[in-house]
Amino acid sequence: MSNAVSALQGAAFSDGIAEVRELGLRGMITLRGDLSDKKLIKAVKAVAGAMPEQRKIALKGDAGAAWMSLDELLLMVPHSDALGTVETLNSALNGTHFLAANVSDARAVFEVSGPYARDVMAKLAPVDFAPDAFEMGMFRRSRMAQVPAAFWMSDEDAFRVVCFRSVGEYMFDLLSVAAQTGSEVDVF
Amino acid sequence: MLILECPCCGVTGEETEFHAGGEAHLKRHSVGSTDDQFEEYLFMRENPRGVHLERWRHNNGCGKWFHAARCTMTLEVFGTYPAQTYEPPQEIKDAISAKRPGWSWRNFS
């Protein structure tokens, strides 16, 4: 197999009010199907550890499952396990109406961390980032400036952002500019 | 700015997270229809000052289509409801009637 590289190969920006880091290779699988189907729930639990509730993300170590829409989940696994996981899902769900696709190399993942991470995120997405409105465990698909993105909190002051790989550089520049020194908003 | 609640995923977002999809409840006249019906389907649109029913898509979110009832004058949103209906559900009609008594839109009122 060819040598897999992530969108920005771990680029980082740390000279501002928050640290922005591209997280490198992540395994991601789009799973579409009937999310109330027992067979599907069982398969998701086997792969990602837990089944997420609506608009939530269920994380277990490096693995996780995020609720994307009524009929879609985003499963996160280590990058090297992605292909194997798709095979596992294909055999576990054989006979039901579903789709499991390895989208690892079509995505870029970023982490925004630091005490002003909320400020940085709130500048870019039309979402309420107040500490009591956006909490750990929530998963939100929205847009950041001009591109679609999904995000959740990985820690008390850290956010993870997933976007299309094709706009990875745009997203990194965007987050870096929003995290410039002296650009604190101090609303939260 | 419109604040819409997507009935599919339950997210309340502002309008840049959504995309307008034109008028709601059009009958798609096709093979076997008369020229007048086809013209009606292709070109004839409501352009109301007041209550309007529209299709919207949550394009920067869950990606699903839904319907919204809103006022074109005040940008007030009366409610949103699933795309899989031929007419607005009673609770949406009631919500509009509460704010705009005597409203009508095409053949709904």
Side-chain angles (χ1 to χ4, degrees):
Chain A
M1 205 181 132
S2 53
N3 179 29
V5 287
S6 70
L8 299 174
Q9 300 181 43
F13 172 84
S14 51
D15 301 331
I17 57 171
E19 189 182 339
V20 179
R21 204 156 49 90
E22 199 248 5
L23 291 182
L25 294 169
R26 299 273 148 165
M28 290 194 188
I29 293 149
T30 288
L31 178 65
R32 300 198 79 150
D34 178 0
L35 299 190
S36 58
D37 183 44
K38 285 201 178 101
K39 219 166 145 184
L40 187 140
I41 295 174
K42 202 175 148 200
V44 170
K45 283 183 175 161
V47 167
M51 181 77 186
E53 292 169 50
Q54 187 163 347
R55 300 194 303 281
K56 296 278 166 70
I57 183 167
L59 293 165
K60 199 174 182 190
D62 244 3
W67 192 93
M68 296 286 274
S69 81
L70 285 176
D71 54 3
E72 183 176 342
L73 295 179
L74 182 67
L75 306 180
M76 288 171 250
V77 294
H79 187 265
S80 53
D81 296 350
L83 277 175
T85 307
V86 171
E87 291 304 314
T88 312
L89 287 168
N90 280 341
S91 50
L93 296 174
N94 191 20
T96 55
H97 183 64
F98 80 104
L99 167 89
N102 177 11
V103 294
S104 310
D105 300 328
R107 301 277 187 274
V109 190
F110 297 89
E111 183 164 81
V112 183
S113 56
Y116 286 102
R118 275 184 195 275
D119 281 37
V120 174
M121 296 295 291
K123 284 183 202 177
L124 300 172
V127 172
D128 188 353
F129 279 101
D132 56 345
F134 200 92
E135 297 165 341
M136 286 281 277
M138 288 175 70
F139 183 84
R140 181 74 144 82
R141 287 175 81 183
S142 184
R143 66 178 174 88
M144 296 194 75
Q146 301 183 28
V147 296
F151 33 82
W152 69 96
M153 294 181 75
S154 56
D155 206 338
E156 275 311 314
D157 54 3
F159 289 84
R160 294 222 166 148
V161 179
V162 178
C163 67
F164 289 115
R165 184 186 180 118
S166 55
V167 294
E169 191 164 354
Y170 174 85
M171 182 64 80
F172 180 75
D173 292 348
L174 201 64
L175 291 167
S176 307
V177 169
Q180 269 176 359
T181 310
S183 68
E184 302 91 337
V185 185
D186 271 326
V187 278
F188 303 123
Chain B
M1 180 163 276
L2 297 169
I3 307 283
L4 297 164
E5 182 182 349
C6 173
C8 301
C9 65
V11 160
T12 301
E14 46 93 19
E15 72 186 66
T16 63
E17 200 171 305
F18 300 88
H19 195 274
E23 191 175 318
H25 307 301
L26 292 174
K27 175 149 175 55
R28 188 177 178 145
H29 292 287
S30 170
V31 179
S33 61
T34 65
D35 284 357
D36 284 349
Q37 284 173 325
F38 195 62
E39 185 204 18
E40 168 86 19
Y41 156 58
L42 269 188
F43 302 114
M44 299 312 190
R45 294 292 181 270
E46 291 294 299
N47 185 19
R49 181 167 174 263
V51 175
H52 197 25
L53 306 180
E54 287 177 323
R55 299 166 76 222
W56 282 81
R57 182 172 173 258
H58 196 185
N59 66 329
N60 285 324
C62 68
K64 306 292 185 213
W65 285 92
F66 60 94
H67 285 132
R70 69 173 182 105
C71 177
T72 58
M73 240 188 339
T74 62
L75 298 191
E76 182 178 3
V77 177
F78 302 113
T80 54
Y81 52 102
Q84 292 77 17
T85 59
Y86 290 109
E87 61 173 285
Q90 195 55 45
E91 66 263 25
I92 296 290
K93 290 183 182 173
D94 291 345
I96 303 174
S97 298
K99 298 262 176 66
R100 302 283 187 281
W103 68 281
S104 71
W105 186 89
R106 287 201 183 245
N107 43 10
F108 306 131
S109 60

